[in-house]
Amino acid sequence: MCSLETYKIDLKGLTTDETVLDFDLNDDFFQSLDGSQLEHGSLHVSVSIRKMTGFFELHFLTKGFVTVSCDRCLDDMEQPIEADNVLTVKLGDTYSDDDDTVTIDENEGILDLSWFIYEFIMLAIPIKHVHAPGKCTHPKRRQSNTRTAKRRTHDKAVAPTLAVCPNCGAYHIYHTVCPTCGYYRGKIAIVMDETAE
């Protein structure tokens, strides 16, 4: 099992203006994260940390692949990942995460990179991921027009069943108030405006 302690960086302890950290991610990394949707992959992540006036700028370069399910045949496939992300980190009183700016407790100065790396990988995965043409084991077959038409035979408009109002004799839809006299099941439900007539 991968130890996530190696991804915790003491920003206050950095002595140089620019620090470069390299991480090689494998299956152990994804299995160590609680709630990870990925289980397999092989990636290299290079993180460049630059000390600026009042903040830190982190530059993430990610390259490799992760294993995801093909949307067409549901078999596993290797999805290439290539991402370039920037994160701004400030020191403050309390932790906050707003867009691309993160504020961490200035008393600790510790930043956990593991979840940021994971989120950047997830953002790099396309919404639709399918095998290259001809690589699916069970390609989706095209349905004929006849089969589609058979499925749609029940999609038709049905005329509502009408009932006769026992009070005025007008037709109205079952289980609804009579629009002519306002009666429902022998009792007046709506007082009709006589002036409208």
Side-chain angles (χ1 to χ4, degrees):
M1 200 64 129
C2 173
S3 174
L4 298 179
E5 290 297 319
T6 56
Y7 298 92
K8 293 183 179 180
I9 309 302
D10 183 6
L11 296 179
K12 293 174 67 175
L14 298 178
T15 55
T16 57
D17 289 340
E18 185 169 358
T19 305
V20 178
L21 304 172
D22 291 306
F23 302 100
D24 289 312
L25 312 182
N26 53 25
D27 298 353
D28 292 337
F29 171 78
F30 297 110
Q31 292 164 9
S32 299
L33 291 171
D34 291 332
S36 172
Q37 298 177 18
L38 300 173
E39 294 182 1
H40 307 289
S42 177
L43 302 107
H44 178 78
V45 181
S46 178
V47 183
S48 172
I49 306 173
R50 294 176 59 196
K51 291 174 70 174
M52 312 293 280
T53 305
F55 65 93
F56 297 86
E57 185 181 77
L58 281 71
H59 192 190
F60 295 78
L61 284 174
T62 308
K63 196 167 186 179
F65 71 88
V66 293
T67 304
V68 295
S69 296
C70 174
D71 290 338
R72 185 177 294 140
C73 67
L74 301 181
D75 280 355
D76 286 345
M77 60 170 282
E78 290 185 357
Q79 176 65 53
I81 298 293
E82 194 163 346
D84 187 350
N85 305 94
V86 177
L87 181 69
T88 302
V89 181
K90 296 179 179 179
L91 299 177
D93 297 332
T94 56
Y95 180 88
S96 66
D97 188 353
D98 302 318
D99 296 331
D100 293 333
T101 303
V102 175
T103 305
I104 61 174
D105 188 353
E106 60 184 351
N107 295 323
E108 296 181 3
I110 304 294
L111 178 67
D112 188 353
L113 297 178
S114 59
W115 268 104
F116 293 107
I117 292 173
Y118 172 75
E119 287 178 1
F120 291 146
I121 293 171
M122 291 297 292
L123 290 172
I125 299 175
I127 296 174
K128 185 177 182 181
H129 28 82
V130 295
H131 281 108
K135 298 293 183 180
C136 283
T137 55
H138 305 289
K140 185 177 179 181
R141 294 186 211 150
R142 182 183 177 276
Q143 286 192 351
S144 66
N145 292 334
T146 304
R147 187 184 180 109
T148 303
K150 284 181 180 177
R151 191 177 66 245
R152 294 176 179 167
T153 54
H154 64 279
D155 294 342
K156 55 182 180 280
V158 179
T161 306
L162 298 179
V164 179
C165 176
N167 183 54
C168 68
Y171 285 97
H172 65 91
I173 300 174
Y174 262 111
H175 304 295
T176 60
V177 176
C178 176
T180 306
C181 64
Y183 272 73
Y184 179 69
R185 301 186 80 177
K187 298 179 182 178
I188 187 158
I190 299 175
V191 178
M192 304 302 291
D193 190 2
E194 296 181 359
T195 58
E197 298 176 358

